[in-house]
Amino acid sequence: MFSGQGSQKPGMGGDLLAVKEVREVFACASDVLGCDVADLVLNAEPEKLNDTRNAQPALCVLSVGIARVLMARGVEPAAVLGFSLGQVSALAVSGMLSDEATFAFVKARSELMAEAAAAHPGAMSALLKADEESVDALCERCAEGEVLVPANFNCPGQIVVAGAPAAVARAEAAWAEAGRRSSRLATSGAFHSPLMADAAAGLADYLKGVEFSEPRIPLVCNVTAAPLSAAEARDHLVRHLTSPVRFQQSVEALARSGTDSFVEVGFGGVLANLVKRIDKSATRACVQDRASFDGYLAAASATDSE
């Protein structure tokens, strides 16, 4: 599983840069992006790293690097799943895009999303003790002609809404009146909502020149919670910007297919914690630094020898 935007932190994964495969991925990304990505991750001030034009490439590169080094050590995933931005990282590891094409894509995507967020200001808020029916009704009641939609289905009891700032504020107030809590997210825009339509249009133009391969490793798509094919890739990646992230449904589909172990690569451990609330029987791990990397390989080796 590949971490989403918001998990970034200065210095993240820094002690893994000594590992050959991680270092090679960062070098490739630096060539494509025209900047020193390792320096960005290690030394950028939080404000600079949190800019979506920097956060998306930085997290994408780190996630791909960690996945590559795990696979070089014999950890072969049966499927890959990203959360929002994480789906871009998954394109590289699935084999649908080369690393170079992935990093060029994340650069274009982050710039288009930053421009759309500036042109159409928005907000996002996580509603707790939420279910799809009640959130749909809340959005319909509180929109008042503005954009307000479910944006992320995180786990049972946690759904994120996105939309115009005033509409999100009305939803939070109505949710509080019903005795429920919400948490405003530190995002620069209303991602996965119609307010990203300009970015989606720009991405559609960009992707006309991108060729996708059939995945070597199945990639579960955020839009449909089903495996993505090369023929569907352009359409689904464009829709991804204005459609909700169906992470809960994706994990549930993987669990139904027999998946019982989920490993997050990136930073923060958010996805591993969400899996805990979706499928309590699943084994979970987050590999984000040298200690967790060494610990995961040791545990995997012990399991294989039993």
Side-chain angles (χ1 to χ4, degrees):
M1 303 185 296
F2 300 88
S3 305
Q5 187 176 341
S7 298
Q8 69 275 358
K9 182 180 179 183
M12 61 183 184
D15 56 1
L16 283 170
L17 286 168
V19 181
K20 173 178 174 287
E21 290 86 356
V22 176
R23 194 166 59 250
E24 289 174 347
V25 169
F26 270 79
C28 172
S30 296
D31 289 342
V32 172
L33 299 172
C35 69
D36 188 335
V37 184
D39 182 67
L40 174 68
V41 167
L42 292 173
N43 301 315
E45 293 296 323
E47 295 78 13
K48 181 176 181 180
L49 186 60
N50 288 339
D51 184 322
T52 192
R53 288 163 290 201
N54 294 321
Q56 288 196 35
L59 273 168
C60 176
V61 174
L62 178 63
S63 292
V64 172
I66 295 174
R68 293 272 184 240
V69 74
L70 285 174
M71 293 167 72
R73 304 300 188 277
V75 179
E76 185 70 15
V80 291
L81 168 64
F83 187 102
S84 188
L85 161 69
Q87 181 159 287
V88 179
S89 310
L91 291 170
V93 176
S94 71
M96 295 191 77
L97 288 180
S98 67
D99 287 1
E100 291 84 354
T102 298
F103 301 145
F105 175 40
V106 79
K107 183 177 188 292
R109 182 183 187 271
S110 64
E111 290 172 350
L112 288 164
M113 291 175 70
E115 290 168 5
H120 305 286
M124 303 180 76
S125 184
L127 306 180
L128 308 182
K129 296 186 177 179
D131 61 81
E132 189 166 355
E133 184 178 353
S134 64
V135 170
D136 284 342
L138 179 77
C139 289
E140 186 175 347
R141 185 169 76 252
C142 295
E144 298 182 11
E146 295 186 295
V147 170
L148 182 65
V149 295
N152 301 338
F153 293 93
N154 289 352
C155 65
Q158 187 180 122
I159 297 174
V160 172
V161 295
V168 171
R170 288 192 294 270
E172 290 172 326
W175 203 246
E177 287 175 10
R180 298 178 179 179
R181 293 186 298 117
S182 63
S183 177
R184 183 67 67 97
L185 304 187
T187 61
S188 58
F191 303 137
H192 303 290
S193 84
L195 292 179
M196 288 287 114
D198 288 354
L203 200 66
D205 286 339
Y206 175 84
L207 289 174
K208 289 176 182 176
V210 177
E211 292 296 327
F212 293 88
S213 300
E214 289 299 338
R216 185 177 62 81
I217 301 168
L219 188 160
V220 180
C221 178
N222 283 175
V223 176
T224 60
L228 183 65
S229 70
E232 301 168 320
R234 287 186 189 85
D235 176 62
H236 283 44
L237 289 167
V238 171
R239 289 171 55 196
H240 190 223
L241 297 190
T242 57
S243 301
V245 172
R246 298 190 176 277
F247 183 77
Q248 176 184 334
Q249 295 89 336
S250 298
V251 172
E252 289 170 344
L254 285 165
R256 286 194 299 271
S257 72
T259 301
D260 58 6
S261 179
F262 294 82
V263 182
E264 180 176 357
V265 292
F267 196 77
V270 170
L271 304 187
N273 287 330
L274 291 179
V275 169
K276 181 179 181 181
R277 298 179 63 176
I278 298 167
D279 182 0
K280 291 181 173 57
S281 67
T283 301
R284 306 166 307 279
C286 176
V287 179
Q288 61 182 350
D289 54 21
R290 189 59 190 251
S292 55
F293 169 71
D294 291 341
Y296 178 77
L297 288 183
S301 176
T303 301
D304 290 343
S305 65
E306 289 178 357

